């Protein structure tokens, strides 16, 4: 038997003219945790999808436990003992946990029998790895951290000896991530090989035994984690030196530009999504909103920019007043100098099928500089697009390419450029660097701080705690639609924020926020 | 890379794939013709001859094409807002009613050059009105546009029977038809236009409406890609969420788009009622509304593609009629089968050959890379 669980030899894969993987060679030792890092589009996910049988490699060989293995589909992969936890969970939302686990692996026609067998087997898994989860709960009623456990159990239940996790902590709080890491370590101790794909270097340093860095479809280096550093990895990923920490001066605040007063939102099924929010954002400061996703941050942003009507309370934003009876439409708000970089850039921020120049006027399509009496001024729109692409270093600098064909970072830069170009009084930013590579993150952060220094009021919603801490002057923490605390960004850390986000922190007077 | 971007060049997507689809349909048709004991090559020759072999044939082909251009544009327009307007049939039918109402009321008082714009407006207004209710239900009540527009086709058919039998019928007549319009209200035929230029061509139903259809195609192209309204419409079509973000009133865009779509379908009534029949009658739409769906699909919702697809379908209709005339074993129904096959392959199965073409292009591009 071989020492290596997985050996990849000269794996290449291209999609049309795009070479996603190029002669990839990788060896992963049995019973270790191996990290794969790289920027978006570096080919990490493609490589793992080849291993799990979603794609077939154009050339190259895969050895599993020293044996040459052809993996044509996920059934082959499962047979070879490979399990995968996807970034986007593959669960049936209205099935129970148990039903999801046995889905596709039922042992016979009669369901009750397989359920019985499965239950005892799953109980064993739970005990040996600390993977506790309520088997009878419906998937859509349990938190994401638990859903991820279900995915893990699913893989193990199918006999996985090699577990691949694709960006597993993207949706988790720091505490949930720590729990996941404990489980992964337990798995490792019992001989399972774990491969984890991530772009968070901290996790690599904490968790893995060895790490491979991918760039532009190739593995540029494989290292032992104990013999490397975050800085070295970051440099390998981008191919140049990266400044990890941003310097910024302290905020010089001016007049209040966002004033949220007793804001509330009740959704169509009667659930309170937002409850009694009170806060202000002044000119010249960045206020961050922290929270586990789904605790009302997105709704707050959408109310502020006019997409969603609020149910109660009052908002004054720049010169505009929003109340439940006085609903202001997004275009009015935009023209009052309030720019919005939406959380979901592909669904809201731009239109993937549009050319870059068409996307570069989204929201400003009625502006007189882009329109004649009836016809749009295509030349003006193109040259506008080229000029903002220059300012924000969007590559490739071609206004005629489809928006979808830019990388995530460049799409985001295009949106930021569009929204910042008019020097807005208020900037609402959601997840500015989600799925954006390190090089672009640095640039985007600089731009946001520059907006602040020019006197804009910036409200920043982000799932990345280090981003919130680096950029914000103050951080407001939301839980279950309520504000559960506010901290000075200079005096807090991820641990404290993480506890506040799950509402498990103790207030100074010993009382929990309720 | 999770997204697989298109790997084939645009010309292949726009031109090659429709041609492949067409050939697949012809191949299956050839087999059927062979099975009934006729020579497929001979049959194809007859069809092409019939459609393009004489000025009369060309006239008929383009006359059919005129209808398809209007109904195809209607489907395409709605499709850019991601609305599937199946109601072209009913909208064209009611559009024809609009033309007839104007002409029956005014043909004794006004000259042609005033009647023409009035008739066009009548057709568009009536067609748009017929699309208005489904549009409203889609935009403000969430009823699916496919269901409502289909139902409105039936309502249109029954309404027209009622109106013709009870309102427009000539006293004492047994056929449900209106009176014939004064000759001044007839759309000049292409034959008569050519005659004034001193060129003689044979008689066909082709009339000025064909030119109007071409002009309307140009206007539609400009609207979709060169106005802010077209921009808003396409935004709503591609991503309603992004459109909302951009401050676009998506409900209003749905309304406007469907009204325009209905108006375009309604214009088919001008060709039929003002150009050919010169009276209001039953069933003059004869499925042109439904064929418009296939035309729009084959023409990739682009006016140029629609004009080309319309001419192809026009040729099919005309050539098919000639074929069944010259080859008695090939009945009219058989011609319908051939038409149906082409609609099937270029409409419903429009993307069937795409993966194969993609594969060929991938192999091809690899070989050229290796060679270089």
């Amino acid at each position: 038997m071989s020492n290596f669980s997985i050996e990849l030899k000269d794996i290449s894969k291209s999609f049309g003219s795009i070479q996603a993987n190029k002669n990839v060679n990788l060896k992963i030792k049995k019973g270790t945790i191996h990290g794969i890092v790289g920027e978006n589009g570096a080919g990490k996910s493609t490589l793992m999808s080849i291993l799990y049988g979603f794609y077939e490699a154009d050339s190259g060989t895969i050895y599993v436990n020293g044996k040459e293995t052809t993996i044509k589909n996920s059934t082959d992969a499962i047979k070879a003992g490979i399990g995968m936890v996807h970034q986007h969970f593959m669960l049936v939302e209205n099935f129970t946990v148990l039903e999801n686990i046995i889905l596709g692996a039922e042992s016979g026609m009669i369901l009750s029998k397989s359920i019985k067998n499965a239950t005892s087997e799953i109980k064993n898994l739970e005990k040996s790895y600390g993977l506790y989860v309520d088997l009878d709960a419906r998937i859509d009623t349990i938190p994401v951290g638990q859903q991820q456990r279900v995915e893990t159990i699913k893989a193990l239940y199918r006999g996985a000896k090699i577990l691949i996790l694709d960006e597993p902590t993207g949706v988790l709080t720091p505490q949930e991530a720590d729990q996941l890491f404990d489980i992964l370590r337990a798995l490792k101790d019992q001989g399972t090989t774990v491969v984890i794909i991530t772009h968070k270097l901290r996790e690599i340093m904490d968790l893995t035994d060895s790490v491979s860095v991918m760039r532009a479809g190739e593995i540029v280096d494989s290292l032992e984690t104990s013999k490397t550093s975050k800085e070295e990895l970051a440099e390998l990923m981008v191919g140049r030196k990266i400044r990890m920490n941003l310097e910024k001066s302290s905020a010089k605040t001016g007049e209040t530009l966002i004033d949220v007063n007793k804001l509330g939102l009740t959704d169509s099924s009667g659930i309170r999504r937002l409850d009694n929010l009170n806060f202000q954002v002044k000119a010249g400061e960045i206020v961050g909103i922290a929270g586990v996703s789904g605790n009302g941050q997105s709704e707050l942003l959408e109310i502020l920019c006019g997409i969603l009507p609020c149910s109660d309370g009052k908002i004054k934003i720049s010169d505009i007043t929003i109340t439940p009876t006085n609903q202001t439409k997004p275009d009015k708000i935009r023209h009052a100098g309030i720019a919005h970089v939406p959380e979901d850039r592909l669904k809201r921020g731009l239109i993937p099928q549009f050319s870059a120049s068409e996307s570069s006027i989204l929201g400003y399509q009625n502006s007189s500089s882009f329109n004649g009496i009836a016809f749009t001024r295509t030349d003006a729109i193109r040259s506008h697009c080229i000029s903002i692409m220059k300012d924000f270093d969007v590559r490739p600098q071609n206004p005629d390419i489809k928006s979808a064909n830019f990388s995530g970072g460049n799409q985001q830069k295009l949106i930021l450029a569009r929204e910042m170009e008019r020097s807005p009084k208020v900037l609402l930013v959601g997840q500015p660097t989600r799925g954006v590579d390190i090089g672009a993150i640095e640039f985007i952060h600089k731009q946001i701080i520059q907006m602040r220094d020019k006197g804009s009021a910036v409200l920043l919603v982000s799932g990345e705690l280090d981003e919130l801490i680096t950029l914000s002057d103050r951080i407001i923490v939301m839980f279950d639609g309520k504000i559960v605390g506010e901290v000075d960004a200079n005096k807090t850390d991820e641990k404290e924020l993480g506890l506040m986000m799950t509402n498990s922190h103790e207030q100074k007077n010993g009382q929990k926020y309720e | 890379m999770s997204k697989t971007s298109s790997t084939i060049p645009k010309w292949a997507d726009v031109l090659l794939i429709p041609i492949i689809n067409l050939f697949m349909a012809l191949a299956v048709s050839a087999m059927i013709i062979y099975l009934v004991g006729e020579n497929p090559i001979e049959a194809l020759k007859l069809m092409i001859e019939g459609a393009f072999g004489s000025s009369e044939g060309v006239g008929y082909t383009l006359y059919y094409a005129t209808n398809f251009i209007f109904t195809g544009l209607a489907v395409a327009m709605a499709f850019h807002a991601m609305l599937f307007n199946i109601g072209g049939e009913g909208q064209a039918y009611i559009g024809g009613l609009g033309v007839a109402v104007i002409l029956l009321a005014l043909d004794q008082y006004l000259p042609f050059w005033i009647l023409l714009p009035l008739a066009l407006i009548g057709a568009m207004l009536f067609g748009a009105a017929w699309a208005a209710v489904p549009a409203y239900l889609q935009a403000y009540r969430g009823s699916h546009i496919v269901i409502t527009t289909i139902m409105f086709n039936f309502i249109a058919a029954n309404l027209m029977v009622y109106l013709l039998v009870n309102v427009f019928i000539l006293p004492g007549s047994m056929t449900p038809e209106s009176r014939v319009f004064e000759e001044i209200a007839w759309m000049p035929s292409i034959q008569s236009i050519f005659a004034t230029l001193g060129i003689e061509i044979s008689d066909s139903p082709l009339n000025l409406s064909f030119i109007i259809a071409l002009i309307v195609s140009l206007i539609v192209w400009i609207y979709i890609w060169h106005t802010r309204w077209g921009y808003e419409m396409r935004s709503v079509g591609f991503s309603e969420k992004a459109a909302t973000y951009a401050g676009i009133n998506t409900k209003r865009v749905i309304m406007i788009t469907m009204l325009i779509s209905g108006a375009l379908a309604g214009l088919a009534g001008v060709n039929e009622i003002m150009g050919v029949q010169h009276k209001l009658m039953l069933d003059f739409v004869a499925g042109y509304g439904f064929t418009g769906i296939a035309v729009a699909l084959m023409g990739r919702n682009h006016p140029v593609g629609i004009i080309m697809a319309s001419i192809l379908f026009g040729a099919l209709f005309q050539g098919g009629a000639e074929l069944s005339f010259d080859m008695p074993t090939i009945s009219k129904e058989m011609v319908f089968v051939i038409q149906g096959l082409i609609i099937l392959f270029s409409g419903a199965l429009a993307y069937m050959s795409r993966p194969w073409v993609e594969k060929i292009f991938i192999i091809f591009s690899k070989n050229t890379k290796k060679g270089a």
Side-chain angles (χ1 to χ4, degrees):
Chain A
M1 281 293 262
S2 155
N3 246 338
F4 298 103
S5 293
I6 294 173
E7 246 188 289
L8 301 178
K9 272 207 180 130
D10 292 324
I11 296 283
S12 291
K13 171 80 188 168
S14 56
F15 296 105
S17 56
I18 301 155
Q19 184 99 35
N21 284 148
K22 200 170 154 194
N23 299 329
V24 171
N25 287 292
L26 180 66
K27 286 180 177 181
I28 299 172
K29 265 203 198 120
K30 213 170 261 177
T32 61
I33 300 183
H34 186 91
I36 296 181
V37 288
E39 296 193 294
N40 282 302
K44 299 167 291 187
S45 294
T46 308
L47 188 63
M48 289 305 118
S49 299
I50 288 172
L51 199 49
Y52 195 61
F54 275 163
Y55 301 130
E56 225 180 314
D58 298 338
S59 61
T61 9
I62 301 171
Y63 299 88
V64 179
N65 296 320
K67 235 174 55 198
E68 187 176 338
T69 313
T70 352
I71 299 175
K72 286 202 176 228
N73 48 44
S74 50
T75 319
D76 290 349
I78 292 166
K79 251 191 227 150
I82 301 173
M84 186 155 176
V85 176
H86 298 273
Q87 190 176 359
H88 305 287
F89 304 147
M90 312 252 170
L91 297 169
V92 183
E93 295 230 319
N94 46 8
F95 273 19
T96 66
V97 169
L98 184 67
E99 284 169 330
N100 265 289
I101 293 171
I102 63 170
L103 182 66
E106 307 92 342
S107 41
M109 289 275 284
I110 309 295
L111 211 53
S112 60
K113 208 170 156 194
S114 27
I115 286 180
K116 223 190 218 165
N117 296 340
T119 314
S120 65
E121 208 171 314
I122 295 166
K123 289 278 178 237
N124 277 335
L125 286 174
E126 286 191 343
K127 253 182 248 151
S128 28
Y129 304 114
L131 275 165
Y132 294 104
V133 60
D134 178 6
L135 289 180
D136 298 320
R138 255 174 51 164
I139 289 295
D140 51 6
T141 63
I142 62 175
V144 273
Q146 297 267 320
Q147 292 183 12
Q148 191 173 47
R149 277 188 198 181
V150 177
E151 283 279 21
T152 314
I153 297 173
K154 234 169 86 179
L156 296 174
Y157 177 69
R158 284 160 176 71
K161 289 277 163 242
I162 301 160
L163 189 64
I164 306 167
L165 297 107
D166 190 359
E167 300 277 0
T169 58
V171 289
L172 303 184
T173 63
Q175 281 74 22
E176 283 176 315
D178 284 342
Q179 287 169 6
L180 172 71
F181 292 170
D182 287 339
I183 292 167
L184 295 181
R185 288 192 192 100
L187 283 167
K188 175 180 114 174
D189 291 341
Q190 310 225 3
T192 308
T193 309
V194 177
V195 184
I196 175 169
I197 304 174
T198 180
H199 64 273
K200 292 182 186 162
L201 297 175
R202 193 174 52 87
E203 294 173 356
I204 294 289
M205 301 309 294
D206 283 357
L207 182 68
T208 61
D209 301 306
S210 53
V211 53
S212 300
V213 183
M214 288 193 79
R215 188 170 75 222
E218 293 178 87
I219 290 198
V220 285
D221 212 343
S222 286
L223 306 149
E224 269 179 56
T225 312
S226 54
K227 289 180 187 153
T228 183
S229 65
K230 269 196 211 177
E231 285 71 21
E232 188 190 6
L233 289 176
E235 207 181 314
L236 282 169
M237 274 164 71
V238 223
R240 64 184 165 87
K241 274 214 184 314
I242 287 286
R243 266 192 323 138
M244 299 287 277
N245 288 310
L246 265 174
E247 290 153 30
K248 71 176 205 287
S249 55
S250 55
K252 294 181 200 69
T253 55
E255 53 169 334
T256 301
L257 284 178
I258 305 177
D259 188 357
V260 174
N261 212 323
K262 290 191 181 143
L263 178 68
L265 173 72
T266 309
D267 71 9
S268 55
S269 44
I271 297 164
R272 284 297 269 180
R273 291 286 172 199
L274 295 175
D275 196 26
N276 196 25
L277 299 188
N278 296 290
F279 68 91
Q280 297 177 334
V281 184
K282 293 193 171 77
E285 69 169 344
I286 300 176
V287 173
I289 304 270
V292 180
S293 72
N295 276 282
Q297 309 95 304
S298 310
E299 287 83 354
L300 174 63
L301 261 191
E302 298 202 336
I303 288 174
L304 288 174
C305 71
I307 292 173
L308 208 65
C310 62
S311 319
D312 38 277
K314 185 177 157 186
I315 299 166
K316 244 188 116 185
I317 180 162
S318 189
D319 306 325
I320 288 180
T321 309
I322 303 173
T323 59
T325 47
N326 181 21
Q327 177 56 33
T328 314
K329 295 278 175 221
D331 52 336
K332 272 235 175 91
I333 292 183
R334 182 171 282 111
H335 291 124
I338 295 146
H340 174 208
V341 177
E343 289 185 291
D344 192 332
R345 65 172 163 267
L346 287 175
K347 290 219 177 95
R348 279 214 196 281
L350 45 75
I351 293 179
Q353 296 92 334
F354 272 9
S355 70
S357 69
E358 284 175 308
S359 276
S360 80
I361 62 163
L362 191 68
Y364 302 95
Q365 67 275 3
N366 287 320
S367 153
S368 57
S369 48
F370 303 136
N371 287 289
I373 300 163
F375 303 154
T376 44
R377 294 169 52 198
T378 315
D379 290 344
I381 295 169
R382 279 188 84 248
S383 57
H384 158 261
C385 182
I386 292 172
S387 98
I388 65 170
M389 281 174 137
K390 261 190 201 140
D391 291 346
F392 274 71
D393 189 32
V394 180
R395 278 173 285 182
Q397 218 180 80
N398 181 346
D400 302 322
I401 295 179
K402 262 208 307 191
S403 308
N405 294 346
F406 287 86
S407 71
N410 283 306
Q411 290 171 344
Q412 191 70 351
K413 283 196 272 186
L414 185 67
I415 296 170
L416 280 160
R418 178 185 75 208
E419 297 303 318
M420 288 184 175
E421 180 214 15
R422 282 146 213 266
S423 312
K425 278 198 253 177
V426 177
L427 181 63
L428 308 168
V429 192
Q431 314 292 359
T433 58
R434 180 185 277 169
V436 167
D437 43 62
I438 295 190
I441 290 177
E442 190 190 1
F443 181 86
I444 290 169
H445 283 177
K446 268 193 203 153
Q447 297 297 325
I448 293 176
I449 290 175
Q450 234 176 58
M451 283 309 290
R452 176 197 80 155
D453 293 342
K454 277 199 239 162
S456 295
V458 182
L459 186 74
L460 169 72
V461 171
S462 174
E464 305 280 340
L465 292 182
D466 38 349
E467 173 168 273
L468 282 170
I469 293 170
T470 338
L471 287 182
S472 313
D473 299 304
R474 292 185 288 135
I475 298 172
I476 291 169
V477 184
M478 286 182 70
F479 176 76
D480 202 17
K482 301 180 191 78
I483 292 179
V484 291
E486 184 184 319
V487 289
D488 184 334
N490 288 321
K491 293 178 192 145
T492 189
D493 55 26
E494 294 189 11
K495 193 124 209 167
E496 187 189 11
L497 284 176
L499 288 171
M500 288 172 85
M501 281 158 63
T502 47
N503 204 23
S504 42
H505 70 302
E506 299 281 314
Q507 277 279 273
K508 277 178 192 124
N509 56 10
Q511 289 255 304
K512 260 190 174 185
Y513 263 109
E514 266 316 327
Chain B
M1 290 273 143
S2 50
K3 345 164 218 201
T4 43
S5 49
S6 163
T7 47
I8 54 174
K10 209 174 169 193
W11 65 266
D13 191 32
V14 180
L15 224 68
L16 185 63
I17 290 183
I19 289 173
I20 290 174
N21 292 336
L22 184 62
F23 271 93
M24 283 196 292
L26 289 178
V28 178
S29 307
M31 236 156 63
I32 294 172
I33 292 169
Y34 179 76
L35 285 178
V36 296
E38 289 286 352
N39 181 347
I41 308 274
E42 204 58 36
L44 184 66
K45 252 193 211 157
L46 274 174
M47 268 183 100
I48 295 173
E49 277 264 329
F52 299 110
S54 63
S55 64
E56 188 198 359
V58 173
Y60 268 95
T61 296
L62 294 182
Y63 144 71
Y64 287 121
T66 310
N67 287 327
F68 300 144
I69 292 175
F70 285 129
T71 53
L73 287 174
V75 174
M77 178 65 88
F79 199 79
H80 280 286
M82 230 24 124
L83 297 165
F84 213 174
N85 180 10
I86 310 286
E89 192 80 6
Q91 289 146 15
Y93 211 172
I94 299 296
L97 173 67
V99 177
V101 166
I102 298 275
L103 296 184
L104 288 171
L106 302 171
D107 61 350
Q108 284 149 342
Y109 313 107
L110 294 173
F112 174 75
W113 291 109
I114 299 179
L115 283 175
L116 175 63
L118 286 179
L120 291 176
I121 291 169
M124 292 197 286
L125 273 182
F126 274 61
W130 208 246
V133 177
Y136 176 83
L137 290 174
Q138 169 78 50
Y140 296 95
R141 294 291 180 269
S143 312
H144 204 286
I145 198 94
V146 170
I147 310 290
T148 45
T149 47
I150 287 180
M151 292 193 185
F152 265 70
N153 288 338
F154 291 107
I155 302 175
N158 289 311
L159 177 70
M160 290 297 279
V161 171
Y162 172 82
L163 288 177
L164 277 159
V165 171
N166 295 291
V167 182
F168 289 101
I169 199 166
L170 288 174
S173 165
M174 293 301 285
T175 37
E177 288 176 354
S178 76
R179 73 170 165 84
V180 175
F181 310 139
E182 298 291 323
E183 216 161 311
I184 182 132
W186 294 10
M187 187 76 86
S189 70
I190 295 290
Q191 182 206 10
S192 67
I193 295 172
F194 270 68
T196 56
L197 300 172
I199 306 167
E200 223 166 283
I201 53 172
S202 39
D203 188 29
S204 77
L206 183 63
N207 60 75
L208 194 60
S209 306
F210 179 66
I211 309 295
I212 296 175
L214 295 182
I215 296 169
V216 169
S217 301
L218 177 69
I219 296 172
V220 165
W221 177 75
I222 290 172
Y223 181 87
I224 295 176
W225 282 286
H226 291 279
T227 69
R228 73 193 95 151
W229 310 295
Y231 179 92
E232 294 195 339
M233 176 177 78
R234 286 182 295 128
S235 302
V236 172
F238 284 133
S239 168
E240 217 171 310
K241 281 184 110 177
T244 314
Y245 160 80
I248 295 166
N249 184 341
T250 54
K251 295 185 164 73
R252 205 181 61 195
V253 169
I254 289 174
M255 276 307 286
I256 292 174
T257 305
M258 274 307 289
L259 290 180
I260 296 175
S261 173
L264 289 168
L267 284 173
V270 173
N271 184 37
E272 280 298 322
I273 297 299
M274 194 177 182
V276 183
Q277 314 293 354
H278 307 134
K279 63 189 173 201
L280 189 62
M281 53 184 282
L282 281 180
D283 295 328
F284 61 84
V285 185
Y288 302 136
F290 292 122
T291 312
I293 298 168
V295 166
L297 267 167
M298 195 171 190
R300 292 288 188 275
N301 298 307
H302 191 289
V304 174
I306 287 170
I307 292 172
M308 280 162 41
S310 294
I311 292 173
L312 172 76
F313 276 91
L316 268 173
F317 271 59
Q318 167 56 16
E322 291 288 316
L323 176 63
S324 66
F325 186 74
D326 289 338
M327 272 190 183
T329 36
I330 295 178
S331 61
K332 212 171 167 219
E333 286 69 30
M334 190 74 77
V335 174
F336 283 146
V337 169
I338 295 171
Q339 287 167 3
L341 281 169
I342 291 183
I343 293 176
L344 181 73
F345 275 92
S346 61
L349 305 178
Y351 295 96
M352 186 175 74
S353 64
R354 203 190 151 96
W356 305 328
V357 176
E358 267 175 11
K359 254 186 200 160
I360 291 167
F361 269 92
I362 288 170
I363 292 166
F364 186 70
S365 67
K366 259 184 207 157
N367 286 343
T368 49
K369 255 183 221 160
K370 268 177 202 159

